[in-house]
């Protein structure tokens, strides 16, 4: 059984930084894609960042230059470093993992195949 547990959300002033973590268990695919989505009430879900098993990363245009996605395979943990935060970054951030062999990258962030994703419970990020 796959479990994804996020942590690291909170409240921060504009221009500040936060680092989100996602501890994964039971997710044992040799080729995979994991990442972060966010959703603000009243808005649709937005793909933020993805990382593949070979280290390839993809970022939404809205966060390029500010957010970095990384992984520690030894710890089975995914990270999202968020710098220069803006009020429009406020949302619930969800960790997600694909059980499929594709699509990955920007297509996955745009929602292709997301009905199959494993999801965490979400962590709130508020930027004021």
């Amino acid at each position: 059984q796959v479990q994804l547990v996020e942590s690291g959300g909170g409240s921060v002033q504009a221009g500040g930084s936060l680092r989100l973590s996602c501890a994964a268990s039971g997710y044992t695919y040799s080729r995979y894609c994991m990442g972060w989505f966010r959703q603000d009430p009243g808005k649709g879900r937005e793909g933020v960042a993805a990382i593949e098993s070979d280290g390839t990363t993809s970022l939404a245009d809205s966060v390029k230059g500010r957010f970095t996605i990384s992984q520690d395979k030894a710890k089975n943990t995914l990270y999202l470093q968020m710098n220069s935060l803006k009020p429009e970054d406020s949302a619930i951030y969800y960790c997600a993992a694909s059980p499929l062999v594709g699509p990955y990258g920007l297509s996955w962030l745009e929602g292709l195949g997301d009905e199959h994703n494993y999801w965490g419970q979400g962590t709130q990020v508020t930027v004021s």
Side-chain angles (χ1 to χ4, degrees), residues 31-113:
R31 184 166 181 257
Y32 60 81
C33 182
M34 297 182 70
W36 297 91
F37 292 74
R38 65 187 181 187
Q39 187 163 17
D40 200 21
K43 297 182 182 178
R45 186 168 59 206
E46 178 188 13
V48 175
I51 189 165
E52 299 172 35
S53 47
D54 65 359
T56 300
T57 61
S58 302
L59 293 169
D61 287 343
S62 58
V63 304
K64 279 182 181 176
R66 301 187 298 121
F67 290 12
T68 303
I69 187 170
S70 62
Q71 60 183 332
D72 185 331
K73 292 185 178 183
K75 294 183 178 180
N76 293 323
T77 302
L78 183 71
Y79 302 100
L80 184 68
Q81 178 66 44
M82 305 185 293
N83 298 329
S84 303
L85 283 162
K86 304 175 181 179
E88 51 263 43
D89 294 318
S90 297
I92 300 174
Y93 282 70
Y94 297 92
C95 177
S98 173
L100 306 177
V101 295
Y104 292 165
L106 290 176
S107 295
W108 184 67
L109 290 177
E110 290 169 359
L112 285 180

